Amino acid sequence: MSFISSSSIINQIKCCEDTIGRRQKLGVNDNITLTYFPEKNLVLHSPTIKPPRPRRIILIRHGQSEGNVDETAYTRVADPRIKLTEKGKREAEECGQRIRQMIEADGADDWKVYFYVSPYRRTIETLRGLGKAFESSRIAGVREEPRLREQDFGNFQDQEQMKIQKAVRVQYGRFFYRFPNGESAADVYDRITGFRETLRTDIDIGRFQPPGEQSPNMNLVIVSHGLTLRVFLMRWYKWTVEQFERLNNMQNGNMIVMQTGEGGRYSLLVHHTEQQMLDFGLTQEMLDDQHWQKTAKPGELNYEWLTSGPSFFTHLDDDKNGLGIL
């Protein structure tokens, strides 16, 4: 029986194009594959050293769509095929310019953007508008990600029935109410959990890093839908259902920026002000945690975070008042 070494197997791997269709030039050196697959170089040579985290994760809600202007559009066109309005296309292009200005303000020369996008028409059209702000050399790649799709509201064709179901959702609770033949926000949470694990793996192995590079100036852009992005934030920061239901929807064509702080964790308060986050729906306790995120390191736990005890065990309130066991 003969055995083939792992390095021999890897050297047989060839790459003909990157994620946006550009042809790659392949060399003849035995180590060429490690250049085009940097994560394999990481696995073979430095399994304990991770590439730098992307500087930002930028969450973008699609531009204004026909459904945002007229809800009856959903009775005529399937939700995945709802397109942007002309205003929505302008919003996408303007958002792309704001993203570029934000990144260029860092003063780095080697910055790039990598996109994850929902497969719905309005998000793809938003991606194309955003992309006009970046030349090919600045775009590290694009991945269509079905788990980033909109909440499934069911197969609505009856406008009155749609209004009834949305009214019932308000009474029942936005997180747990499931539309007939559709999804609840809790269902979206489950698939976003899977996407989050994929994203964390991509970050840990530097999958989107340019071949042979380890730049800290990568920016990830997630183009999705209002509720889906709120659920993403809920899952990332471990917010409770009650906290989720306080959140307001993002405006069309706008962004929320998760940016690395001093210790390397992502905080909403590196780019945004407290007032902006209060307007989005964060409580003071949530803001306190975001301040902690600004200086904490990956892997650290915030033992003062309200979900670690006080919000669930009300008898601990007595301790804070000096009436219980310290």
Side-chain angles (χ1 to χ4, degrees):
M1 179 181 296
S2 61
F3 294 90
I4 302 176
S5 69
S6 60
S7 60
S8 297
I9 293 174
I10 290 177
N11 284 335
Q12 295 175 21
I13 301 174
K14 301 297 181 182
C15 178
C16 60
E17 63 181 35
D18 66 11
T19 54
I20 55 175
R22 295 175 296 208
R23 298 288 297 182
Q24 297 278 26
K25 296 180 181 179
L26 300 180
V28 295
N29 189 292
D30 288 340
N31 294 323
I32 190 66
T33 303
L34 300 183
T35 299
Y36 286 94
F37 293 88
E39 63 270 26
K40 294 181 174 60
N41 192 22
L42 179 70
V43 170
L44 286 180
H45 299 290
S46 303
T48 61
I49 301 176
K50 293 182 179 180
R53 283 183 148 202
R55 184 170 299 278
R56 300 176 182 85
I57 301 175
I58 306 168
L59 310 181
I60 307 292
R61 186 186 178 198
H62 62 79
Q64 184 190 75
S65 72
E66 293 178 334
N68 295 134
V69 175
D70 177 12
E71 282 200 345
T72 66
Y74 296 105
T75 68
R76 302 185 298 272
V77 182
D79 194 6
R81 294 197 289 271
I82 294 287
K83 60 185 180 180
L84 293 184
T85 63
E86 289 304 312
K87 178 182 178 182
K89 293 177 181 178
R90 292 194 301 272
E91 289 174 337
E93 293 182 18
E94 291 167 1
C95 186
Q97 291 295 333
R98 291 198 302 273
I99 293 173
R100 179 163 191 141
Q101 291 169 6
M102 174 178 62
I103 295 173
E104 288 182 334
D106 295 337
D109 294 327
D110 62 342
W111 63 267
K112 285 183 169 59
V113 288
Y114 187 100
F115 296 92
Y116 296 86
V117 61
S118 158
Y120 279 32
R121 178 171 178 175
R122 55 189 178 272
T123 41
I124 296 293
E125 289 180 345
T126 299
L127 172 72
R128 289 172 179 154
L130 295 170
K132 291 182 179 180
F134 307 100
E135 56 270 28
S136 176
S137 62
R138 294 297 187 182
I139 300 175
V142 181
R143 180 184 299 176
E144 182 178 281
E145 178 50 75
R147 289 173 292 185
L148 290 173
R149 68 188 183 275
E150 174 67 287
Q151 177 184 9
D152 189 342
F153 295 107
N155 301 314
F156 280 125
Q157 277 101 30
D158 187 329
Q159 185 181 5
E160 290 305 313
Q161 184 63 22
M162 185 188 301
K163 291 180 180 178
I164 292 171
Q165 294 298 333
K166 288 189 174 182
V168 173
R169 177 180 62 168
V170 172
Q171 296 177 345
Y172 191 91
R174 288 191 296 164
F175 188 76
F176 291 113
Y177 181 75
R178 178 180 287 126
F179 287 92
N181 302 310
E183 289 181 306
S184 65
D187 295 321
V188 178
Y189 184 97
D190 292 341
R191 56 176 159 88
I192 285 298
T193 295
F195 169 71
R196 175 181 176 273
E197 295 311 307
T198 298
L199 181 62
R200 288 178 65 94
T201 299
D202 285 353
I203 290 173
D204 287 344
I205 67 174
R207 188 180 298 279
F208 35 71
Q209 288 281 356
E213 297 182 20
Q214 295 290 297
S215 172
N217 298 308
M218 179 63 64
N219 297 269
L220 304 186
V221 181
I222 298 176
V223 187
S224 186
H225 309 263
L227 179 133
T228 307
L229 294 174
R230 280 179 280 144
V231 169
F232 176 87
L233 288 167
M234 174 192 183
R235 181 63 184 86
W236 188 279
Y237 291 115
K238 302 177 179 63
W239 293 338
T240 65
V241 171
E242 181 179 354
Q243 290 165 343
F244 167 82
E245 293 194 336
R246 288 178 52 93
L247 300 178
N248 299 307
N249 213 2
M250 295 170 57
Q251 295 296 312
N252 291 112
N254 276 337
M255 61 182 172
I256 286 182
V257 181
M258 304 162 57
Q259 186 164 329
T260 50
E262 296 174 19
R265 294 178 72 104
Y266 292 101
S267 171
L268 299 173
L269 292 181
V270 177
H271 176 80
H272 299 284
T273 66
E274 284 196 6
Q275 188 58 54
Q276 286 174 325
M277 291 296 95
L278 286 170
D279 293 342
F280 181 53
L282 271 65
T283 64
Q284 186 57 54
E285 292 84 358
M286 296 163 78
L287 288 177
D288 292 342
D289 180 64
Q290 290 300 317
H291 278 295
W292 176 84
Q293 301 275 353
K294 287 176 69 174
T295 58
K297 298 178 181 178
E300 292 183 346
L301 293 177
N302 182 2
Y303 289 99
E304 300 300 321
W305 176 224
L306 78 165
T307 57
S308 65
S311 66
F312 291 98
F313 304 116
T314 54
H315 71 282
L316 297 178
D317 291 339
D318 293 337
D319 293 340
K320 291 188 294 184
N321 295 325
L323 301 176
I325 300 174
L326 295 179

